[in-house]
């Protein structure tokens, strides 16, 4: 009768470890039903679920594995597995899988404890834990450091309730926690659409224009209320643009040249391009500045508002269709069709209330350093890291990134 044995090998990682152990099993015609390996700080843990055929007795097999492990300076443990236990494990395949991504400038034990406690309370099993970020020097004080741990979990769950709990502890601990279904679309995103103001750049362009026009305070107040969702975007936009009437159009170039690019934006977009993604700016701001960023960052598409000028002077109006929240969602759909992809393969990133429509229909909607209203209503949020933290949500490791 076939015997099932779980073989667990641990010790200092070295070349040939797996080859030597599996070679011993091969001599006896052993079938490998499952195998997994993890390495932490040069210490390896190898697990093999072995089916030892009835033609071979388990004692000689395990004895030879033990000798080989001892010869290599490794520890080994053997655990018998019943057929009933194995069948239960087999039947568990096909259950829903999700990815929990924990991001921050650094990761403390408290964050791991809180995240895994929530996972456990919801009855989910953790199948795998991986560190996606690179190795950080012990005495690093760089405010630009990044830390990310990814958990692969299995089992049915009420997603909205779990996201709400993760958001609560993320706010308490100053970290970001993303929870997304691990399906084919997660591994096959193709288009990323960005809001521009306070997302790709760390300012609101209309506020910069208003400052030049001497109406900065008035416009800033309207902008803030619109981003918080207190005002209809289209109406507030028309009010703000009207206050710019008479502004000399030559100031646009100087403003464009000094726009502060958001942390991680250049790193994110250069890597997205290298990985074959298409990128777009869908902005309630102005086309002039969107095109400036398009050239600077290498963006594929730009849709924004055209600021009307006559004889080089701003008229206080825009031409064409105003790009508000609903228009952003429409444009995302149109771009998905143009690229011949599904909406589930799109990513949308924004910070304001007018970004919520596109965040809600994208396969992955991310509120970036967003207002409270947006963080609470978006499925995913990043506030602790720069824009390049999005690469972790896509499953990329630092070693994969340019």
């Amino acid at each position: 009768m076939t015997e099932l044995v779980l073989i667990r090998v641990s010790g200092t990682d070295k070349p040939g470890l797996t080859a030597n152990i599996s070679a011993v099993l091969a001599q006896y015609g052993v079938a490998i039903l499952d195998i997994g390996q993890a390495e932490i700080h040069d210490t390896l843990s190898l697990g093999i679920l072995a089916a030892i055929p009835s033609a071979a007795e388990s004692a000689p097999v395990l004895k030879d594995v033990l000798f080989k492990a001892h010869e290599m300076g490794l520890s080994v443990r053997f655990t018998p597995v019943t057929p009933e236990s194995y069948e239960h494990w087999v039947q568990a395949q096909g259950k829903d899988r999700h990815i929990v991504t924990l991001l921050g400038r650094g990761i403390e034990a408290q964050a791991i404890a809180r995240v895994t406690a929530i996972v456990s309370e919801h009855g989910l099993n953790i199948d795998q834990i991986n560190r996606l970020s690179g190795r950080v020097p012990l005495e690093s004080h760089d405010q630009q450091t990044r830390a990310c741990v990814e958990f692969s979990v299995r089992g049915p769950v009420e997603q909205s309730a779990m996201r709400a709990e993760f958001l609560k502890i993320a706010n308490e601990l100053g970290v970001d926690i993303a929870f997304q279904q691990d399906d084919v679309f997660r591994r096959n995103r193709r288009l990323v659409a960005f809001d521009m103001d306070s997302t790709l750049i760390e300012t609101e362009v209309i506020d910069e224009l208003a400052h030049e026009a001497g109406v900065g305070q008035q416009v800033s107040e309207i902008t803030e209320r619109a981003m918080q969702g207190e005002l209809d975007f289209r109406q507030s936009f028309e009010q703000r643009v009207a206050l710019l009437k008479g502004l000399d159009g030559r100031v646009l170039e100087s403003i464009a040249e000094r726009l502060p690019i958001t942390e991680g934006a250049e790193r994110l977009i250069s890597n997205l391009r290298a990985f074959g993604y298409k990128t777009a700016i869908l902005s309630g701001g102005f086309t002039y500045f969107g095109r400036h960023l398009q050239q600077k960052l290498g963006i594929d598409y730009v849709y924004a508002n055209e600021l009307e000028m006559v004889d080089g002077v701003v008229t206080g109006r825009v031409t064409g269709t105003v790009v508000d929240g609903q228009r952003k969602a429409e444009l995302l759909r149109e771009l998905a069709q143009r690229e011949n992809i599904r909406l589930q393969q799109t990513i949308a990133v924004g910070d304001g209330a007018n970004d919520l429509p596109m965040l809600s229909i994208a396969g992955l909607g991310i509120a970036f350093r967003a207002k409270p209203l947006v963080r609470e209503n978006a499925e995913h949020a990043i506030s602790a890291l720069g824009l390049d933290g999005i690469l972790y949500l896509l499953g990329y490791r630092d070693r994969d990134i340019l």
Side-chain angles (χ1 to χ4, degrees):
M1 179 179 177
T2 299
E3 292 186 65
L4 305 180
V5 180
L6 177 60
I7 304 169
R8 288 178 282 191
V9 180
S10 61
T12 302
D13 193 13
K14 60 191 70 176
L17 186 154
T18 305
N20 279 282
I21 297 297
S22 57
V24 172
L25 299 176
Q27 294 174 8
Y28 293 91
V30 171
I32 305 297
L33 301 179
D34 195 17
I35 185 169
Q37 180 174 302
E39 186 263 339
I40 300 177
H41 195 58
D42 295 331
T43 298
L44 177 135
S45 178
L46 170 67
I48 298 174
L49 181 56
I52 302 173
S54 54
E57 295 184 5
S58 61
V61 178
L62 304 184
K63 181 184 71 173
D64 285 357
V65 170
L66 182 62
F67 284 164
K68 178 57 69 175
H70 180 74
E71 180 184 300
M72 300 181 71
L74 304 168
S75 299
V76 63
R77 293 176 60 191
F78 305 109
T79 304
V81 176
T82 65
E84 293 78 15
S85 174
Y86 177 74
E87 285 304 318
H88 178 75
W89 174 76
V90 169
Q91 291 168 11
Q93 67 184 335
K95 284 188 177 180
D96 289 344
R97 290 184 178 274
H98 294 83
I99 296 293
V100 180
T101 311
L102 173 62
L103 311 94
R105 295 297 179 187
I107 302 242
E108 305 292 338
Q110 185 182 17
I112 300 284
R114 298 283 295 276
V115 167
T116 53
I118 289 174
V119 168
S120 176
E121 288 162 6
H122 282 264
L124 301 179
N125 291 325
I126 299 176
D127 288 339
Q128 227 172 8
I129 303 175
N130 294 305
R131 172 176 53 83
L132 302 187
S133 51
R135 301 174 185 180
V136 179
L138 189 59
E139 298 194 6
S140 172
H141 298 288
D142 185 357
Q143 293 303 308
Q144 304 301 307
T145 56
R146 297 175 296 270
C148 178
V149 176
E150 179 186 88
F151 304 83
S152 175
V153 302
R154 172 170 43 86
V157 66
E158 207 289 295
Q159 295 189 33
S160 60
M162 195 158 188
R163 283 197 178 94
E165 291 183 51
F166 282 147
L167 179 60
K168 181 176 182 294
I169 66 170
N171 290 335
E172 290 175 9
L173 302 180
V175 297
D176 295 319
I177 306 167
F179 180 69
Q180 54 184 311
Q181 191 161 355
D182 188 15
D183 57 18
V184 65
F185 296 115
R186 176 180 179 264
R187 299 182 293 275
N188 194 28
R189 312 285 190 201
R190 302 268 39 99
L191 170 68
V192 188
F194 298 94
D195 173 45
M196 180 172 65
D197 299 63
S198 297
T199 300
L200 279 178
I201 55 175
E202 296 180 331
T203 188
E204 294 284 331
V205 168
I206 197 165
D207 291 347
E208 299 295 318
L209 292 168
H211 176 75
E212 295 289 343
V215 291
Q217 185 63 33
Q218 296 163 264
V219 168
S220 290
E221 290 174 0
I222 299 172
T223 298
E224 181 61 24
R225 293 182 66 193
M227 292 301 98
Q228 295 285 1
E230 298 175 11
L231 295 176
D232 173 77
F233 175 83
R234 186 183 291 262
Q235 291 178 337
S236 69
F237 181 68
E238 290 173 352
Q239 291 175 21
R240 288 175 288 167
V241 173
L243 290 169
L244 302 178
K245 183 177 180 180
L247 178 65
D248 189 334
R250 289 175 295 184
V251 303
L252 272 65
E253 182 177 357
S254 63
I255 291 174
E257 291 299 329
R258 66 174 188 260
L259 290 177
I261 305 298
T262 298
E263 176 198 350
E266 292 172 287
R267 184 170 182 258
L268 169 63
I269 292 171
S270 65
N271 278 280
L272 290 175
R273 292 176 64 192
F275 298 146
Y277 288 75
K278 293 291 186 179
T279 55
I281 290 174
L282 306 183
S283 173
F286 301 109
T287 307
Y288 181 93
F289 302 98
R291 288 178 181 152
H292 174 82
L293 289 174
Q294 181 178 35
Q295 295 298 316
K296 186 178 182 67
L297 300 176
I299 303 287
D300 294 294
Y301 300 102
V302 173
Y303 293 92
N305 298 300
E306 196 68 47
L307 188 60
E308 184 183 73
M309 286 192 285
V310 175
D311 297 328
V313 176
V314 175
T315 66
R317 296 186 297 272
V318 294
T319 60
T321 303
V322 172
V323 179
D324 59 6
Q326 293 305 318
R327 181 58 180 154
K328 288 186 179 187
E330 292 170 7
L331 288 167
L332 185 62
R333 291 183 188 277
E334 291 173 13
L335 286 175
Q337 292 177 351
R338 180 180 301 184
E339 292 295 330
N340 196 29
I341 61 173
R342 299 186 182 186
L343 268 176
Q344 292 97 320
Q345 293 175 271
T346 67
I347 301 169
V349 188
D351 73 298
N354 65 316
D355 295 310
L356 282 171
M358 74 171 181
L359 298 187
S360 67
I361 67 168
L364 179 65
I366 303 169
F368 178 73
R369 297 182 181 175
K371 312 299 184 289
L373 171 71
V374 183
R375 280 175 57 84
E376 291 166 8
N377 285 277
E379 290 192 347
H380 310 282
I382 291 181
S383 297
L385 297 184
L387 275 172
D388 51 348
I390 291 171
L391 293 167
Y392 294 136
L393 269 58
L394 301 180
Y396 291 108
R397 299 171 182 262
D398 276 355
R399 65 172 181 245
D400 303 323
I401 298 170
L402 302 175

